[in-house]
Amino acid sequence: MSTHGKLLLRHHRPFLAFWLARVCTASGFQMLTVAIGWHLYALTGSVLDLGLVGLVEFVPRVLFMLHTGHVADRYDRRRIAALCQGAQALIAIALVLGSASDAVTREMIFILAFLLGAARAFEMPTTQALLPSLVPAALFPAAVAASASAMQAATIVAPALGGLLYAFGAFWVYVPTALLYILACALMLGLPNHHVPRKAEPATLHNLLGGIRFIRSRPDIFGAISLDMFAVLLGGATALLPVFAKDILLTGPWGLGLLRSAPAVGALLMSFWLARFPIERQVGRTMFISVGVFGVATIAFGLSTSFWFSLLVLAILGAADMISMVIRGAFVQLETPDEMRGRVSAVNGLFIGASNQLGEFESGVTAAWFGTVPAVVLGGAGTLLVTGLWMKLFPTLAQRDHMHRPEAERTD
């Protein structure tokens, strides 16, 4: 194990507790999503309802975007995160009770999905802003990679576990999900408090928009966030995987499951590598190369007619995306003052969420217009075009060497 990894594990027990909390919440959410989807479809038999429940979960992120960051900067971040995790535990408990009494309805699921989205809307920027206070700046890139590995591991394992447990009934998924959220809540409350909340300020529009103004005033941060948004928006092919599995690669549901897991497997392996060997130099160039590889892998997947080659390029796609995410996540947090991290993370989270949702919509529209394969190939080519354009528009980002510039190098 590298020196960075040993330091994180031996001397930063708060980070280990934070990491375990992330594993619990990510696993709980993945299991809950699988169970809610199956439960809703069993109740209504409507494919449209499956799409609507995802939209309902996303709406709170838009509605509360300005307030989530303000809350993360204004109050104790540990307690805010724990409160959000406690709320998600209560949602799972409500589904436990409803399942036990056979009282779960379509309307109940939509209401709980909205509340779940609201809790996650406040939790995400709070936990992102909390991490920098738990480890020294020198170890932060490794910490980001290790934290991201929790999400990827949950993405691979938890849905399969949730599906397996659902075979015994929805009740048997909701109970362990509630326990996972309760454990995460306890771990979060046990973290040390290094964050000094801002003095009481009214939630004026000026204060709420502080994160947007800060991002716009920092070309490197704005360039990195917008690059990721457009890359995912254009290059995302996830929504079209069922078409590839059935009509192009000629596999069954098992093949679709493997295709969905492949990017997460690549991302998880890369997160382990980055946690052991963090990127410390030429971070700008490395980020642009990784986004370019993401675009090339998207094109290769679109043109592939081999199932195993498709799995390989999807794993490469996930690994490249992880490199970009770790670099962006690390230097954005390091370059943002602690009192602004909540609001900046809220804006960043909205960009990421919007790109994922709109990316699926864009893939569906272009596939309807041009066909499935041309849609994916055009999306990958668009990602490469954006990468080249962003290198011209944000030269300081492309030339950036370190994650965190010394004060003497700053011009602002």
Side-chain angles (χ1 to χ4, degrees), residues 225-275:
I225 292 176
S226 57
L227 172 65
D228 176 76
M229 183 185 74
F230 283 107
V232 174
L233 177 65
L234 295 172
T238 304
L240 301 177
L241 287 181
V243 181
F244 276 91
K246 181 180 179 182
D247 299 332
I248 298 175
L249 302 176
L250 305 177
T251 68
W254 66 272
L256 175 59
L258 290 178
L259 290 173
R260 287 192 176 276
S261 296
V265 171
L268 179 63
L269 294 176
M270 181 55 68
S271 70
F272 288 154
W273 176 269
L274 293 176

Side-chain angles (χ1 to χ4, degrees), residues 90-369:
L90 291 176
I91 291 169
I93 291 172
L95 288 166
V96 168
L97 298 176
S99 299
S101 58
D102 199 25
V104 176
T105 64
R106 173 180 182 270
E107 291 72 23
M108 176 183 177
I109 288 179
F110 277 120
I111 292 172
L112 292 178
F114 180 86
L115 296 176
L116 178 65
R120 285 175 55 80
F122 281 89
E123 179 191 16
M124 184 178 297
T126 302
T127 53
Q128 287 181 353
L130 179 62
L131 180 56
S133 67
L134 299 177
V135 295
L139 297 179
F140 188 65
V144 171
S147 180
S149 70
M151 299 294 294
Q152 299 303 326
T155 301
I156 296 170
V157 177
L161 178 60
L164 177 63
L165 293 174
Y166 198 93
F168 300 98
F171 176 88
W172 297 103
V173 184
Y174 297 135
V175 169
T177 298
L179 295 176
L180 285 171
Y181 279 122
I182 291 171
L183 177 58
C185 181
L187 288 168
M188 198 63 66
L189 288 175
L191 294 177
N193 182 23
H194 298 306
H195 169 60
V196 180
R198 294 183 298 123
K199 295 180 180 180
E201 295 180 5
T204 63
L205 185 61
H206 177 81
N207 289 331
L208 294 176
L209 292 174
I212 296 176
R213 289 196 307 273
F214 180 84
I215 289 173
R216 285 292 293 116
S217 68
R218 302 300 196 277
D220 285 6
I221 294 178
F222 179 64
I225 292 176
S226 57
L227 172 65
D228 176 76
M229 183 185 74
F230 283 107
V232 174
L233 177 65
L234 295 172
T238 304
L240 301 177
L241 287 181
V243 181
F244 276 91
K246 181 180 179 182
D247 299 332
I248 298 175
L249 302 176
L250 305 177
T251 68
W254 66 272
L256 175 59
L258 290 178
L259 290 173
R260 287 192 176 276
S261 296
V265 171
L268 179 63
L269 294 176
M270 181 55 68
S271 70
F272 288 154
W273 176 269
L274 293 176
R276 185 170 184 178
F277 304 105
I279 299 170
E280 298 176 345
R281 302 295 301 272
Q282 296 184 331
V283 296
R285 178 183 177 185
T286 303
M287 184 177 69
F288 276 104
I289 290 175
S290 67
V291 176
V293 171
F294 179 91
V296 172
T298 300
I299 295 173
F301 173 73
L303 296 175
S304 173
T305 57
S306 166
F307 175 69
W308 298 109
F309 181 74
S310 295
L311 287 178
L312 174 63
V313 293
L314 284 176
I316 293 173
L317 181 149
D321 188 48
M322 175 57 66
I323 295 173
S324 172
M325 187 190 75
V326 167
I327 293 176
R328 184 185 69 256
F331 94 75
V332 168
Q333 291 291 342
L334 289 173
E335 289 287 288
T336 303
D338 184 66
E339 66 273 10
M340 291 289 300
R341 281 177 177 147
R343 284 168 286 176
V344 170
S345 295
V347 177
N348 187 28
L350 180 65
F351 273 47
I352 294 172
S355 63
N356 288 330
Q357 298 290 329
L358 294 178
E360 293 184 2
F361 176 72
E362 178 270 339
S363 296
V365 170
T366 53
W369 286 352

